[in-house]
Amino acid sequence: MESVKGLLCNLYDLGFSQSNEIGDGLVAEVAWNSVDGASASYAIPCKWHTTALTYCPV
């Protein structure tokens, strides 16, 4: 829950989640799937500056 608060208050740019249903104001997408069906998602604020980009250089 602290991670979600940090994302919403602009303390963090990106977070990781085991679910892609994380609440209002955040977007989560699956970043990894394993053979046994487990997945990991990344979460970012909806108004994050890079959400407008189609490609994000790392």
Short mmCIF file of all heavy atoms in Angstrom, two decimals:
data_model
loop_
_atom_site.label_atom_id
_atom_site.label_comp_id
_atom_site.label_asym_id
_atom_site.label_seq_id
_atom_site.Cartn_x
_atom_site.Cartn_y
_atom_site.Cartn_z
N MET A 1 0.81 -1.19 0.00
CA MET A 1 0.00 0.00 0.00
C MET A 1 0.86 1.26 0.00
O MET A 1 0.51 2.23 -0.61
CB MET A 1 -0.92 -0.04 1.22
CG MET A 1 -2.01 0.98 1.14
SD MET A 1 -3.03 0.59 -0.28
CE MET A 1 -4.37 1.63 0.00
N GLU A 2 2.00 1.21 0.69
CA GLU A 2 2.90 2.37 0.71
C GLU A 2 3.46 2.66 -0.68
O GLU A 2 3.66 3.81 -1.04
CB GLU A 2 4.04 2.15 1.70
CG GLU A 2 3.59 2.10 3.14
CD GLU A 2 2.96 3.40 3.61
OE1 GLU A 2 3.47 4.47 3.28
OE2 GLU A 2 1.93 3.32 4.30
N SER A 3 3.68 1.61 -1.47
CA SER A 3 4.18 1.80 -2.83
C SER A 3 3.16 2.54 -3.68
O SER A 3 3.52 3.42 -4.48
CB SER A 3 4.51 0.46 -3.48
OG SER A 3 5.50 -0.20 -2.77
N VAL A 4 1.89 2.19 -3.53
CA VAL A 4 0.83 2.87 -4.28
C VAL A 4 0.77 4.34 -3.89
O VAL A 4 0.69 5.22 -4.75
CB VAL A 4 -0.53 2.18 -4.04
CG1 VAL A 4 -1.67 2.99 -4.63
CG2 VAL A 4 -0.52 0.78 -4.61
N LYS A 5 0.84 4.63 -2.60
CA LYS A 5 0.85 6.02 -2.14
C LYS A 5 2.05 6.77 -2.72
O LYS A 5 1.92 7.93 -3.13
CB LYS A 5 0.88 6.09 -0.62
CG LYS A 5 -0.41 5.67 0.04
CD LYS A 5 -0.28 5.76 1.55
CE LYS A 5 -1.51 5.22 2.24
NZ LYS A 5 -1.35 5.23 3.71
N GLY A 6 3.20 6.13 -2.74
CA GLY A 6 4.40 6.75 -3.30
C GLY A 6 4.27 7.06 -4.77
O GLY A 6 4.71 8.10 -5.24
N LEU A 7 3.65 6.15 -5.52
CA LEU A 7 3.43 6.39 -6.95
C LEU A 7 2.46 7.55 -7.16
O LEU A 7 2.67 8.41 -8.02
CB LEU A 7 2.89 5.14 -7.62
CG LEU A 7 3.89 4.01 -7.86
CD1 LEU A 7 3.16 2.74 -8.24
CD2 LEU A 7 4.89 4.40 -8.92
N LEU A 8 1.40 7.59 -6.38
CA LEU A 8 0.40 8.65 -6.53
C LEU A 8 0.91 10.01 -6.09
O LEU A 8 0.46 11.05 -6.59
CB LEU A 8 -0.87 8.28 -5.76
CG LEU A 8 -1.65 7.09 -6.32
CD1 LEU A 8 -2.79 6.72 -5.38
CD2 LEU A 8 -2.17 7.38 -7.71
N CYS A 9 1.88 10.04 -5.17
CA CYS A 9 2.45 11.31 -4.68
C CYS A 9 3.73 11.69 -5.42
O CYS A 9 4.45 12.59 -5.00
CB CYS A 9 2.75 11.20 -3.19
SG CYS A 9 1.27 11.05 -2.18
N ASN A 10 4.03 10.98 -6.51
CA ASN A 10 5.21 11.25 -7.33
C ASN A 10 6.53 11.04 -6.60
O ASN A 10 7.54 11.66 -6.92
CB ASN A 10 5.16 12.66 -7.93
CG ASN A 10 4.03 12.82 -8.90
OD1 ASN A 10 3.70 11.90 -9.63
ND2 ASN A 10 3.40 13.98 -8.88
N LEU A 11 6.55 10.16 -5.61
CA LEU A 11 7.79 9.80 -4.95
C LEU A 11 8.56 8.75 -5.75
O LEU A 11 9.78 8.68 -5.68
CB LEU A 11 7.53 9.27 -3.54
CG LEU A 11 6.91 10.25 -2.56
CD1 LEU A 11 6.58 9.54 -1.25
CD2 LEU A 11 7.85 11.41 -2.31
N TYR A 12 7.82 7.93 -6.51
CA TYR A 12 8.40 6.87 -7.34
C TYR A 12 7.89 7.04 -8.76
O TYR A 12 6.78 7.49 -8.99
CB TYR A 12 7.99 5.48 -6.84
CG TYR A 12 8.17 5.25 -5.37
CD1 TYR A 12 7.09 4.97 -4.56
CD2 TYR A 12 9.43 5.30 -4.78
CE1 TYR A 12 7.24 4.75 -3.19
CE2 TYR A 12 9.58 5.08 -3.42
CZ TYR A 12 8.48 4.81 -2.64
OH TYR A 12 8.64 4.59 -1.31
N ASP A 13 8.70 6.65 -9.73
CA ASP A 13 8.29 6.68 -11.13
C ASP A 13 7.65 5.37 -11.58
O ASP A 13 6.85 5.35 -12.49
CB ASP A 13 9.48 6.98 -12.04
CG ASP A 13 9.98 8.40 -11.90
OD1 ASP A 13 9.16 9.28 -11.59
OD2 ASP A 13 11.18 8.62 -12.08
N LEU A 14 8.05 4.27 -10.95
CA LEU A 14 7.60 2.96 -11.39
C LEU A 14 7.56 2.01 -10.21
O LEU A 14 8.38 2.11 -9.30
CB LEU A 14 8.60 2.42 -12.43
CG LEU A 14 8.35 1.03 -12.96
CD1 LEU A 14 7.74 1.13 -14.34
CD2 LEU A 14 9.63 0.25 -13.01
N GLY A 15 6.59 1.11 -10.22
CA GLY A 15 6.50 0.11 -9.18
C GLY A 15 6.19 -1.24 -9.79
O GLY A 15 5.82 -1.33 -10.96
N PHE A 16 6.32 -2.30 -9.03
CA PHE A 16 6.00 -3.65 -9.51
C PHE A 16 4.86 -4.21 -8.69
O PHE A 16 4.71 -3.90 -7.50
CB PHE A 16 7.22 -4.55 -9.44
CG PHE A 16 8.26 -4.19 -10.45
CD1 PHE A 16 9.33 -3.39 -10.10
CD2 PHE A 16 8.16 -4.64 -11.75
CE1 PHE A 16 10.29 -3.04 -11.04
CE2 PHE A 16 9.11 -4.29 -12.69
CZ PHE A 16 10.17 -3.49 -12.33
N SER A 17 4.05 -5.03 -9.33
CA SER A 17 2.87 -5.59 -8.70
C SER A 17 2.66 -7.02 -9.17
O SER A 17 3.08 -7.38 -10.27
CB SER A 17 1.65 -4.73 -9.07
OG SER A 17 0.46 -5.33 -8.66
N GLN A 18 1.98 -7.82 -8.37
CA GLN A 18 1.62 -9.17 -8.80
C GLN A 18 0.25 -9.18 -9.46
O GLN A 18 -0.20 -10.20 -9.94
CB GLN A 18 1.63 -10.12 -7.61
CG GLN A 18 3.02 -10.33 -7.07
CD GLN A 18 3.02 -11.27 -5.88
OE1 GLN A 18 2.06 -11.36 -5.14
NE2 GLN A 18 4.11 -11.98 -5.71
N SER A 19 -0.40 -8.05 -9.51
CA SER A 19 -1.73 -7.93 -10.12
C SER A 19 -1.74 -6.72 -11.03
O SER A 19 -1.02 -5.75 -10.82
CB SER A 19 -2.79 -7.76 -9.03
OG SER A 19 -4.04 -7.45 -9.59
N ASN A 20 -2.58 -6.75 -12.05
CA ASN A 20 -2.72 -5.57 -12.90
C ASN A 20 -3.96 -4.76 -12.53
O ASN A 20 -4.32 -3.83 -13.23
CB ASN A 20 -2.69 -5.94 -14.39
CG ASN A 20 -3.81 -6.87 -14.77
OD1 ASN A 20 -4.56 -7.34 -13.93
ND2 ASN A 20 -3.92 -7.17 -16.05
N GLU A 21 -4.62 -5.09 -11.44
CA GLU A 21 -5.75 -4.33 -10.92
C GLU A 21 -5.29 -3.63 -9.63
O GLU A 21 -5.30 -4.22 -8.56
CB GLU A 21 -6.92 -5.26 -10.64
CG GLU A 21 -7.44 -5.94 -11.89
CD GLU A 21 -8.57 -6.90 -11.59
OE1 GLU A 21 -9.16 -6.82 -10.50
OE2 GLU A 21 -8.84 -7.73 -12.46
N ILE A 22 -4.87 -2.37 -9.75
CA ILE A 22 -4.24 -1.72 -8.61
C ILE A 22 -4.94 -0.45 -8.16
O ILE A 22 -4.55 0.13 -7.17
CB ILE A 22 -2.76 -1.42 -8.91
CG1 ILE A 22 -2.62 -0.63 -10.18
CG2 ILE A 22 -1.96 -2.67 -8.93
CD1 ILE A 22 -1.24 -0.16 -10.45
N GLY A 23 -5.95 0.02 -8.84
CA GLY A 23 -6.71 1.17 -8.36
C GLY A 23 -6.69 2.35 -9.30
O GLY A 23 -6.04 2.35 -10.35
N ASP A 24 -7.40 3.39 -8.90
CA ASP A 24 -7.54 4.60 -9.70
C ASP A 24 -6.25 5.41 -9.70
O ASP A 24 -5.53 5.46 -8.72
CB ASP A 24 -8.66 5.47 -9.15
CG ASP A 24 -10.03 4.82 -9.30
OD1 ASP A 24 -10.19 3.99 -10.21
OD2 ASP A 24 -10.92 5.15 -8.50
N GLY A 25 -5.97 6.03 -10.83
CA GLY A 25 -4.80 6.89 -10.95
C GLY A 25 -3.52 6.19 -11.35
O GLY A 25 -2.50 6.82 -11.55
N LEU A 26 -3.57 4.84 -11.48
CA LEU A 26 -2.39 4.07 -11.85
C LEU A 26 -2.73 3.14 -13.01
O LEU A 26 -3.87 2.71 -13.16
CB LEU A 26 -1.88 3.24 -10.68
CG LEU A 26 -1.44 3.99 -9.44
CD1 LEU A 26 -1.14 3.02 -8.31
CD2 LEU A 26 -0.23 4.85 -9.73
N VAL A 27 -1.74 2.83 -13.81
CA VAL A 27 -1.88 1.89 -14.91
C VAL A 27 -0.90 0.76 -14.66
O VAL A 27 0.26 0.99 -14.31
CB VAL A 27 -1.53 2.57 -16.26
CG1 VAL A 27 -1.58 1.57 -17.39
CG2 VAL A 27 -2.47 3.72 -16.53
N ALA A 28 -1.34 -0.47 -14.84
CA ALA A 28 -0.47 -1.63 -14.66
C ALA A 28 -0.53 -2.50 -15.91
O ALA A 28 -1.59 -2.73 -16.47
CB ALA A 28 -0.88 -2.44 -13.45
N GLU A 29 0.61 -2.96 -16.36
CA GLU A 29 0.72 -3.84 -17.52
C GLU A 29 1.59 -5.02 -17.15
O GLU A 29 2.56 -4.88 -16.40
CB GLU A 29 1.36 -3.10 -18.70
CG GLU A 29 0.52 -1.99 -19.27
CD GLU A 29 -0.69 -2.48 -20.03
OE1 GLU A 29 -0.64 -3.60 -20.59
OE2 GLU A 29 -1.69 -1.75 -20.06
N VAL A 30 1.27 -6.18 -17.70
CA VAL A 30 2.07 -7.38 -17.45
C VAL A 30 3.43 -7.21 -18.11
O VAL A 30 3.54 -6.88 -19.28
CB VAL A 30 1.36 -8.64 -17.97
CG1 VAL A 30 2.24 -9.87 -17.81
CG2 VAL A 30 0.04 -8.84 -17.25
N ALA A 31 4.48 -7.41 -17.33
CA ALA A 31 5.85 -7.27 -17.82
C ALA A 31 6.51 -8.63 -18.02
O ALA A 31 7.48 -8.74 -18.76
CB ALA A 31 6.68 -6.44 -16.86
N TRP A 32 5.99 -9.66 -17.34
CA TRP A 32 6.65 -10.96 -17.38
C TRP A 32 5.64 -12.04 -17.03
O TRP A 32 4.82 -11.89 -16.14
CB TRP A 32 7.80 -10.96 -16.38
CG TRP A 32 8.50 -12.26 -16.22
CD1 TRP A 32 9.37 -12.84 -17.09
CD2 TRP A 32 8.40 -13.16 -15.12
NE1 TRP A 32 9.82 -14.03 -16.59
CE2 TRP A 32 9.23 -14.25 -15.38
CE3 TRP A 32 7.67 -13.14 -13.94
CZ2 TRP A 32 9.36 -15.31 -14.50
CZ3 TRP A 32 7.80 -14.20 -13.07
CH2 TRP A 32 8.65 -15.27 -13.36
N ASN A 33 5.69 -13.15 -17.76
CA ASN A 33 4.90 -14.35 -17.48
C ASN A 33 5.84 -15.54 -17.40
O ASN A 33 6.72 -15.69 -18.22
CB ASN A 33 3.88 -14.63 -18.59
CG ASN A 33 2.69 -13.72 -18.52
OD1 ASN A 33 2.13 -13.53 -17.46
ND2 ASN A 33 2.31 -13.14 -19.65
N SER A 34 5.62 -16.40 -16.41
CA SER A 34 6.45 -17.60 -16.30
C SER A 34 5.67 -18.80 -16.82
O SER A 34 4.48 -18.73 -17.07
CB SER A 34 6.87 -17.84 -14.86
OG SER A 34 5.76 -18.20 -14.08
N VAL A 35 6.35 -19.89 -16.96
CA VAL A 35 5.75 -21.12 -17.48
C VAL A 35 4.62 -21.61 -16.56
O VAL A 35 3.62 -22.13 -17.03
CB VAL A 35 6.83 -22.22 -17.63
CG1 VAL A 35 6.23 -23.51 -18.13
CG2 VAL A 35 7.91 -21.75 -18.58
N ASP A 36 4.77 -21.44 -15.26
CA ASP A 36 3.75 -21.92 -14.32
C ASP A 36 2.57 -20.98 -14.16
O ASP A 36 1.69 -21.19 -13.34
CB ASP A 36 4.37 -22.22 -12.96
CG ASP A 36 4.94 -20.98 -12.28
OD1 ASP A 36 4.88 -19.90 -12.87
OD2 ASP A 36 5.43 -21.11 -11.16
N GLY A 37 2.51 -19.90 -14.95
CA GLY A 37 1.36 -19.00 -14.94
C GLY A 37 1.51 -17.79 -14.04
O GLY A 37 0.64 -16.93 -14.00
N ALA A 38 2.60 -17.70 -13.29
CA ALA A 38 2.83 -16.53 -12.45
C ALA A 38 3.20 -15.34 -13.34
O ALA A 38 3.80 -15.50 -14.40
CB ALA A 38 3.94 -16.80 -11.45
N SER A 39 2.82 -14.16 -12.91
CA SER A 39 3.17 -12.98 -13.70
C SER A 39 3.59 -11.85 -12.78
O SER A 39 3.30 -11.85 -11.59
CB SER A 39 1.98 -12.54 -14.55
OG SER A 39 0.91 -12.12 -13.74
N ALA A 40 4.28 -10.91 -13.35
CA ALA A 40 4.67 -9.69 -12.66
C ALA A 40 4.28 -8.52 -13.53
O ALA A 40 4.43 -8.57 -14.75
CB ALA A 40 6.17 -9.66 -12.39
N SER A 41 3.73 -7.49 -12.92
CA SER A 41 3.30 -6.31 -13.66
C SER A 41 4.09 -5.11 -13.18
O SER A 41 4.58 -5.07 -12.06
CB SER A 41 1.81 -6.05 -13.42
OG SER A 41 1.02 -7.12 -13.88
N TYR A 42 4.19 -4.12 -14.06
CA TYR A 42 4.76 -2.85 -13.63
C TYR A 42 3.61 -1.86 -13.52
O TYR A 42 2.61 -1.96 -14.23
CB TYR A 42 5.85 -2.34 -14.58
CG TYR A 42 5.38 -2.01 -15.96
CD1 TYR A 42 4.90 -0.74 -16.26
CD2 TYR A 42 5.40 -2.96 -16.98
CE1 TYR A 42 4.46 -0.43 -17.54
CE2 TYR A 42 4.95 -2.66 -18.25
CZ TYR A 42 4.49 -1.39 -18.53
OH TYR A 42 4.04 -1.09 -19.78
N ALA A 43 3.73 -0.91 -12.63
CA ALA A 43 2.68 0.08 -12.41
C ALA A 43 3.29 1.47 -12.52
O ALA A 43 4.39 1.72 -12.01
CB ALA A 43 2.06 -0.11 -11.04
N ILE A 44 2.58 2.36 -13.20
CA ILE A 44 3.01 3.75 -13.31
C ILE A 44 1.79 4.65 -13.13
O ILE A 44 0.66 4.24 -13.40
CB ILE A 44 3.69 4.05 -14.67
CG1 ILE A 44 2.76 3.72 -15.83
CG2 ILE A 44 5.00 3.32 -14.80
CD1 ILE A 44 3.29 4.15 -17.18
N PRO A 45 1.99 5.87 -12.68
CA PRO A 45 0.88 6.82 -12.58
C PRO A 45 0.33 7.14 -13.97
O PRO A 45 1.07 7.21 -14.95
CB PRO A 45 1.51 8.07 -11.96
CG PRO A 45 2.75 7.59 -11.28
CD PRO A 45 3.22 6.42 -12.10
N CYS A 46 -0.99 7.33 -14.07
CA CYS A 46 -1.62 7.63 -15.37
C CYS A 46 -1.07 8.89 -16.00
O CYS A 46 -0.98 8.99 -17.21
CB CYS A 46 -3.13 7.78 -15.19
SG CYS A 46 -3.97 6.25 -14.77
N LYS A 47 -0.70 9.86 -15.19
CA LYS A 47 -0.20 11.14 -15.71
C LYS A 47 1.32 11.21 -15.73
O LYS A 47 1.90 12.28 -15.73
CB LYS A 47 -0.77 12.29 -14.89
CG LYS A 47 -2.27 12.39 -15.01
CD LYS A 47 -2.81 13.55 -14.25
CE LYS A 47 -4.32 13.62 -14.41
NZ LYS A 47 -4.89 14.75 -13.70
N TRP A 48 1.97 10.07 -15.76
CA TRP A 48 3.43 10.02 -15.79
C TRP A 48 3.93 10.57 -17.11
O TRP A 48 3.32 10.35 -18.17
CB TRP A 48 3.88 8.58 -15.57
CG TRP A 48 5.30 8.40 -15.18
CD1 TRP A 48 6.01 9.10 -14.27
CD2 TRP A 48 6.19 7.40 -15.68
NE1 TRP A 48 7.28 8.60 -14.15
CE2 TRP A 48 7.42 7.55 -15.03
CE3 TRP A 48 6.07 6.39 -16.62
CZ2 TRP A 48 8.51 6.75 -15.27
CZ3 TRP A 48 7.15 5.59 -16.85
CH2 TRP A 48 8.35 5.77 -16.18
N HIS A 49 5.05 11.26 -17.13
CA HIS A 49 5.53 11.96 -18.32
C HIS A 49 5.87 11.03 -19.49
O HIS A 49 5.84 11.45 -20.63
CB HIS A 49 6.74 12.83 -17.97
CG HIS A 49 7.89 12.07 -17.39
ND1 HIS A 49 7.92 11.70 -16.06
CD2 HIS A 49 9.01 11.59 -17.95
CE1 HIS A 49 9.03 11.04 -15.83
NE2 HIS A 49 9.72 10.95 -16.95
N THR A 50 6.18 9.78 -19.26
CA THR A 50 6.54 8.89 -20.37
C THR A 50 5.37 8.06 -20.89
O THR A 50 5.55 7.31 -21.83
CB THR A 50 7.67 7.93 -19.98
OG1 THR A 50 7.27 7.19 -18.85
CG2 THR A 50 8.95 8.68 -19.70
N THR A 51 4.17 8.20 -20.34
CA THR A 51 3.04 7.43 -20.86
C THR A 51 2.65 7.88 -22.27
O THR A 51 1.99 7.15 -22.98
CB THR A 51 1.81 7.51 -19.94
OG1 THR A 51 1.49 8.87 -19.71
CG2 THR A 51 2.06 6.80 -18.63
N ALA A 52 3.07 9.07 -22.67
CA ALA A 52 2.77 9.56 -24.01
C ALA A 52 3.72 8.99 -25.06
O ALA A 52 3.46 9.06 -26.26
CB ALA A 52 2.85 11.08 -24.04
N LEU A 53 4.81 8.38 -24.63
CA LEU A 53 5.81 7.83 -25.56
C LEU A 53 5.39 6.44 -26.04
O LEU A 53 4.83 5.67 -25.28
CB LEU A 53 7.18 7.74 -24.89
CG LEU A 53 7.79 9.04 -24.36
CD1 LEU A 53 9.07 8.73 -23.62
CD2 LEU A 53 8.05 9.99 -25.49
N THR A 54 5.70 6.14 -27.30
CA THR A 54 5.46 4.79 -27.80
C THR A 54 6.67 3.90 -27.56
O THR A 54 6.57 2.69 -27.55
CB THR A 54 5.13 4.80 -29.30
OG1 THR A 54 6.18 5.46 -29.99
CG2 THR A 54 3.81 5.51 -29.54
N TYR A 55 7.83 4.51 -27.36
CA TYR A 55 9.06 3.79 -27.06
C TYR A 55 9.77 4.51 -25.93
O TYR A 55 9.94 5.73 -25.97
CB TYR A 55 9.96 3.75 -28.31
CG TYR A 55 11.33 3.18 -28.05
CD1 TYR A 55 11.52 1.83 -27.90
CD2 TYR A 55 12.43 4.02 -27.93
CE1 TYR A 55 12.78 1.31 -27.64
CE2 TYR A 55 13.68 3.52 -27.67
CZ TYR A 55 13.85 2.15 -27.53
OH TYR A 55 15.09 1.64 -27.27
N CYS A 56 10.15 3.80 -24.92
CA CYS A 56 10.80 4.40 -23.76
C CYS A 56 12.22 3.87 -23.64
O CYS A 56 12.41 2.72 -23.25
CB CYS A 56 10.01 4.12 -22.49
SG CYS A 56 10.69 4.93 -21.05
N PRO A 57 13.23 4.65 -23.99
CA PRO A 57 14.60 4.17 -23.87
C PRO A 57 14.99 4.00 -22.40
O PRO A 57 14.64 4.81 -21.57
CB PRO A 57 15.43 5.29 -24.51
CG PRO A 57 14.57 6.49 -24.42
CD PRO A 57 13.15 6.03 -24.46
N VAL A 58 15.68 2.92 -22.13
CA VAL A 58 16.10 2.64 -20.75
C VAL A 58 17.58 2.85 -20.61
O VAL A 58 18.35 2.51 -21.41
CB VAL A 58 15.72 1.19 -20.35
CG1 VAL A 58 16.18 0.88 -18.96
CG2 VAL A 58 14.23 1.01 -20.48
#
